[in-house]
């Protein structure tokens, strides 16, 4: 983990810090993976109370009322960080964008989720997987069977992330993306 010096107090800051722990100076904007913003393990299982707690802590620290006497540059940095914090919070609450964020973290890519499709080429789902989905869709118990496949796919994705297998994560994310668009369209990211 690299460290830098705060431009205000010259104290050492951590790579993914947004605010200097010593002087509360807002640090320069950089794209930070949501897992690092919220001090979460790179996993499909997140600590929801930790996520919420860190979210509200950052919102409070960067709130415009706290920055009444800050420079315009500090206010602008705060606004940029707030956008990233809000997007990261939403990303970690959604299983599909959480998985995409995990893959970016596993690959040590510093890119926003908005640029995911430009930077990551997911493989196409296998024919076997697509045939399985098609046969489930023809079944009268469609919803429960596809939901079981969705949950199974999420477990496989979780395991591949846990074992830091980029190749398997790419494959499992491809299938999970397909199932999310099919069965959970409200979770879809455009």
């Amino acid at each position: 983990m690299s460290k830098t010096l705060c431009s205000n107090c010259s104290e050492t800051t951590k790579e993914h810090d947004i605010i200097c722990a010593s002087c509360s100076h807002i640090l320069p904007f950089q794209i930070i993976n949501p897992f690092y913003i919220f001090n979460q393990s790179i996993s499909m299982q997140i600590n929801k109370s930790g996520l919420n707690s860190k979210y509200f802590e950052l919102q409070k620290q960067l709130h415009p009322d706290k920055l009444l006497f800050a420079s315009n540059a500090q206010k602008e940095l705060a606004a940029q960080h707030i956008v990233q914090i809000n997007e990261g919070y939403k990303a970690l609450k959604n299983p599909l964008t959480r998985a995409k964020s995990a893959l970016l973290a596993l690959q040590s890519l510093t890119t926003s989720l908005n640029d995911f499709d430009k930077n990551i080429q997911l493989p196409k789902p296998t024919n076997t997987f697509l045939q399985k989905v098609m046969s489930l869709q023809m079944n009268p118990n469609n919803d429960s069977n596809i939901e079981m496949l969705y949950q199974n796919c999420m477990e496989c994705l979780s395991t591949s992330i846990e074992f830091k297998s980029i190749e398997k994560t790419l494959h499992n994310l491809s299938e999970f993306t397909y199932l999310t668009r099919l069965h959970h369209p409200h979770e879809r990211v455009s």
Side-chain angles (χ1 to χ4, degrees), residues 46-99:
I46 57 169
N47 175 336
K48 290 179 183 174
S49 68
L51 174 66
N52 290 332
S53 173
K54 185 68 174 179
Y55 174 76
F56 290 115
E57 173 191 327
L58 290 168
Q59 290 290 339
K60 185 177 177 183
Q61 290 175 320
L62 295 170
H63 194 276
D65 289 347
K66 291 267 189 181
L67 303 172
L68 288 175
F69 302 105
S71 69
N72 286 341
Q74 284 284 284
K75 290 176 183 176
E76 179 61 32
L77 286 173
Q80 290 174 329
H81 284 300
I82 287 291
V83 169
Q84 181 170 243
I85 289 163
N86 290 339
E87 289 174 355
Y89 183 71
K90 287 178 193 169
L92 292 183
K93 292 185 79 153
N94 176 300
L96 180 58
T97 52
R98 185 182 323 138

Side-chain angles (χ1 to χ4, degrees), residues 127-140:
N127 286 338
T128 305
F129 171 79
L130 293 173
Q131 288 171 347
K132 187 175 191 175
V133 171
M134 284 176 53
S135 71
L136 289 174
Q137 286 180 303
M138 290 187 230
N139 186 316

